């Protein structure tokens, strides 16, 4: 798999991805707008002249600013927890745009029981005291 780096200048190669690749819209840039406002007014009406639109002379400059967040699609890998021993049932519903919509995840962890059984088989029925000391 090939993706762009965080600076969006070079390609990065990923040989092995563990998990489910999903796409998320992440805010990466801010677009700024600067507005310089001009006000217009009408000239006074005279007998033989029509009114004209002229700029109004203000003592101050009127400016306004706005911003907009720009989003970029980024690929993330979601790796769900898996038990060392036991069972895991995973169901993921995704939208048509490949966003995660719903997750059903059930884990039955039997790691402690399996480790206890292995230790019991290794040490014998009487536990650690059954091992002869040399």
């Amino acid at each position: 798999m090939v993706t762009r780096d965080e600076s969006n200048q070079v390609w990065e190669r990923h040989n092995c991805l563990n998990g489910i690749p999903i796409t998320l819209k992440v805010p990466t840039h801010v677009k700024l707008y600067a507005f310089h406002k001009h006000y217009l007014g009408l000239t006074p009406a005279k007998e033989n002249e029509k009114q004209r639109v002229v700029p109004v002379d203000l003592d101050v400059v009127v400016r306004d600013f706005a911003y907009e967040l720009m989003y970029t699609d980024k690929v993330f890998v979601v790796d769900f927890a898996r038990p060392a021993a036991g069972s895991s049932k995973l169901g993921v519903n995704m939208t048509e745009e490949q966003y995660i919509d719903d997750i059903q995840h059930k884990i039955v962890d039997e790691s402690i029981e399996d480790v206890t059984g292995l230790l019991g088989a290794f040490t014998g029925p009487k536990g650690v005291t059954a091992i002869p000391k040399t």
Side-chain angles (χ1 to χ4, degrees):
M1 180 174 175
V2 179
T3 60
R4 297 294 279 181
D5 71 335
E6 287 300 317
S7 64
N8 205 23
Q9 294 179 2
V10 296
W11 290 98
E12 292 179 339
R13 170 174 261 162
H14 305 281
N15 292 333
C16 180
L17 296 176
N18 296 326
I20 300 171
I22 61 167
T23 304
L24 295 176
K25 289 189 182 296
V26 178
T28 54
H29 299 83
V30 177
K31 191 174 191 178
L32 298 174
Y33 300 97
F35 301 102
H36 188 111
K37 293 186 179 181
H38 298 276
Y39 291 94
L40 302 174
L42 294 173
T43 59
K46 295 185 182 176
E47 279 186 30
N48 295 331
E49 293 183 9
K50 291 183 180 179
Q51 285 185 321
R52 291 183 300 148
V53 177
V54 293
V56 175
D57 187 25
L58 297 175
D59 293 336
V60 295
V61 177
V62 179
R63 291 192 176 108
D64 193 12
F65 296 93
Y67 71 93
E68 177 184 358
L69 291 175
M70 305 302 290
Y71 292 89
T72 304
D73 288 339
K74 296 277 186 177
V75 176
F76 291 92
V77 178
V78 179
D79 191 13
F80 294 95
R82 295 174 296 230
S87 63
S88 173
K89 292 183 181 178
L90 174 65
V92 178
N93 296 331
M94 303 189 78
T95 64
E96 290 184 16
E97 295 86 23
Q98 296 300 309
Y99 291 103
I100 292 179
D101 187 36
D102 187 28
I103 299 173
Q104 304 89 29
H105 197 193
K106 181 180 179 184
I107 294 177
V108 177
D109 192 355
E110 299 170 353
S111 302
I112 294 176
E113 292 88 1
D114 287 356
V115 169
T116 304
L118 288 172
L119 286 176
F122 178 70
T123 58
K126 295 183 180 179
V128 178
T129 58
I131 299 175
K133 295 181 182 179
T134 56

